[in-house]
Amino acid sequence: MRALARLALATVVVAAPLAAVVAAQAADDPTPVTILASDFEDNTVQGWTGRSAETLAVSTTVAHGGAHSLAVTGRTATWNGPSLNVLGTFEKGTAYTISAWVRLADGSDNARLSVERRTDGTATYETVVGNTAVTSTGWVQLTGHYTLSADVDFLTVYVETASTTASLYLDDVTASYVPALPVQTGIPAVKDVVTEFPVGAAITGAEITTLHGDLLARHFSSITPGNALKWDATEPTENAFSYTQADPLIAFAKAHAMKVRGHTLVWHNQTPAWVFQDAAGATMTATAENKALLLARLENHIRNVAAHYGDTIGTWDVVNEVIDESQSDGMRRSDWYTITGLDYIRTAFKVAREVAPSAKLCINDYNTNVAAKRDALYRLVVELKGEGVPIDCVGHQMHVNVSWPSIADTEAMLRKFEGIGVEQQITEMDVSIYTSSGESFPAPPADRLLSQAYLYRDMFALFRKYRTDLTSVTLWGLADDNTWLDTYPVARKDAPLLFDTRLQAKSAYWGVVDPSKIGGTSSPSASASPSVSPSVSASAGAGGCAVTYRVTGSWAGGFQGEVTISNSGTAVVSGWKLGWQFTAGQTVAQLWNGSVTQSGSAVTVTNAAWNGTIAPGGSASAGFLGSWTGSNPAPTAFTVNGAACTVL
């Protein structure tokens, strides 16, 4: 992972009042339903309490809206602040948008919104809106999204500060949701269309509940626990191992026959401070004694965590983000490295192999499409494999955006690691709609979503091209309602995934599943600007089928095509095999919505699992990427199951 919290950062809560009226609303109406609203205009604290001995009172000194706000004084610790019980108000599996306005009485600090939840008496504290600068000179809005993912017997939201115990004001707190839409069942499942490798999603507990769980199980064949297997979640204190976050995710995967990627055994972030403290509790320095202690802790951690799941986890990101291309040796100067050198990587892989002998063991990093980064990672992998370190695969995170990187740079990344005895995996892919930190849109612009769809199209076509080396692709999230990019690198709503905030398929989904349905008849390529050729017409053939062949985009040496079979007969077609002959040496490189073989000029396309039945009057389509030289004439004859078809 690239940032500290990844998916956890998308779990954002703001408090709300006890009583609210929920208006009746149709499920397809995107207008938010407000369930909570604290404005303190009735001159009461509206259910808010202090977390300790602080005093809460309605004030008219300042107000964001109206004439009243909530004044919080007498704070004795930074984590003391106004708190609201939302147990019974927030429902599990519902995505809420919450907003609160905060200002200080004096000075300046950073404010946070946090949640405390308890299950069977065990408390968990989450900072769900990170440090946000606040002062006494104006109101600052804290806003975000929260989905309760587990049953709890205590749930509150509260405001805290980072450094001081200054008095503060709170006003105009709201919580709302947009009614859920049913998961679409009339569209192909991603896992049924992309059959060259498993396609997975990184998840939190929110993604296995209600409609999210339905969407996850329908479209994906593997999961990656986004944060639940990291060191801070599994061993928060020494030798006190906890799997309460991860076990439900793993159980969901097993129940739905999904593969599991373990993320991650070693990382420089989200590792508790005690790991890097010496026997006396002081911060470790690079001594022989500290090196031995740190490696012993590492070994103990891996032996416990990896052994707990055994063969259930088939792939592990053993070490994560160890490369810093700005260093002369290419190695990140983490505490792991400064205390142990490369030995922490050697130890991690060797112990993981002992504990999980059948698992694929990966080294995972970001920006590996950048030449300096991939070269440094390549050198490290070659060096360690030469020593016998059991590295089975290289993970490319692929956090990209609509204009970066190029397909050429991404292909160079994949080609770099061919032939050195490792598999390759795309481990954390998402495609931000933003191209710089200075951009922010109130809603995703149509042109950005279109560009995103084309990038997903071209990337997945590239991944299919390298299917002999590339053994899985994982998206870093399920849908746009829960993405770490909402808070990183700045707070703004992003839309980087295949499904939108209401779990509906986007153009990005069609970019993966059937690019011909992205939008118009032409589409820009990440590597070239295509021209568009018209549909092909030819003389009629015989039989109860008709075929339309179109070149939907063309560039130097390559093209995108679509072929549609229409059942013009009176009987149902149960399974189809489409054949044609190219006449100018064209070849099909990749195909979606079916499987393809080519022998010389003869092309045969067989239906996918989900589109083999064509009712009378119905149709089925397949799209493909091809190459050509000289000319690109359309085929003039087609057969379906051996029978000649009319060419439309």
Side-chain angles (χ1 to χ4, degrees), residues 103-110 133-138 161 164 166-168:
R103 70 184 290 169
L104 297 184
D106 295 291
S108 61
D109 200 348
N110 285 296
V134 292
T135 69
S136 60
T137 60
T161 51
T164 71
S167 298
L168 58 85

Side-chain angles (χ1 to χ4, degrees), residues 328-330 372 374-384 417:
S328 59
D329 60 0
R374 69 169 177 259
D375 290 348
L377 180 60
Y378 174 86
R379 291 192 298 269
L380 176 65
V381 171
V382 169
E383 175 184 351
L384 293 179
F417 293 90

Side-chain angles (χ1 to χ4, degrees), residues 122 267 308 603 614:
T122 300
W267 191 29
H308 177 77
V603 178
I614 309 176

Side-chain angles (χ1 to χ4, degrees), residues 6-207:
R6 291 290 187 201
L7 286 175
L9 287 174
T11 306
V12 180
V13 179
V14 179
L18 294 177
V21 176
V22 179
Q25 182 174 4
D28 60 352
D29 185 351
T31 303
V33 174
T34 298
I35 61 164
L36 299 168
S38 285
D39 60 10
F40 311 107
E41 294 303 312
D42 63 357
N43 207 32
T44 74
V45 298
Q46 298 181 347
W48 290 82
T49 61
R51 301 193 72 234
S52 183
E54 57 270 47
T55 299
L56 277 64
V58 176
S59 171
T60 57
T61 303
V62 291
H64 173 260
H68 300 80
S69 66
L70 184 69
V72 184
T73 59
R75 300 175 62 232
T76 58
T78 58
W79 56 87
N80 294 163
S83 175
L84 183 70
N85 177 10
V86 293
L87 183 66
T89 302
F90 286 3
E91 296 184 357
K92 185 172 71 172
T94 297
Y96 297 100
T97 298
I98 313 111
S99 172
W101 292 85
V102 179
R103 70 184 290 169
L104 297 184
D106 295 291
S108 61
D109 200 348
N110 285 296
R112 297 193 293 263
L113 282 162
S114 300
V115 63
E116 179 182 359
R117 54 183 174 85
R118 299 177 195 167
T119 303
D120 297 329
T122 300
T124 300
Y125 304 92
E126 297 170 296
T127 300
V128 292
V129 175
N131 285 342
T132 304
V134 292
T135 69
S136 60
T137 60
W139 291 92
V140 174
Q141 185 181 31
L142 305 179
T143 189
H145 311 281
Y146 174 68
T147 303
L148 179 64
S149 60
D151 293 325
V152 295
D153 37 54
F154 180 92
L155 183 66
T156 64
V157 293
Y158 61 95
V159 178
E160 59 182 327
T161 51
S163 304
T164 71
T165 57
S167 298
L168 58 85
Y169 296 97
L170 178 71
D171 202 4
D172 291 336
V173 183
T174 62
S176 63
Y177 71 95
V178 175
L181 290 173
V183 171
Q184 295 159 292
T185 57
I187 61 174
V190 172
K191 64 184 179 183
D192 292 340
V193 175
V194 183
T195 58
E196 294 86 350
F197 37 71
V199 180
I203 62 170
T204 67
E207 277 71 50

Side-chain angles (χ1 to χ4, degrees), residues 605-644:
V605 178
T606 305
N607 63 273
W610 56 270
N611 66 352
T613 299
I614 309 176
S619 63
S621 297
F624 62 92
L625 297 177
S627 61
W628 61 279
T629 56
S631 63
N632 187 21
T636 57
F638 296 86
T639 61
V640 170
N641 296 337

Side-chain angles (χ1 to χ4, degrees), residues 223-225 259-263 313 315 317 362 425 427 472 474:
I223 66 153
T224 297
K259 298 177 182 295
V260 181
R261 295 192 80 261
H263 180 83
I313 296 182
T315 302
D317 287 332
C362 300
Q425 298 185 356
T427 59
S472 76
T474 296

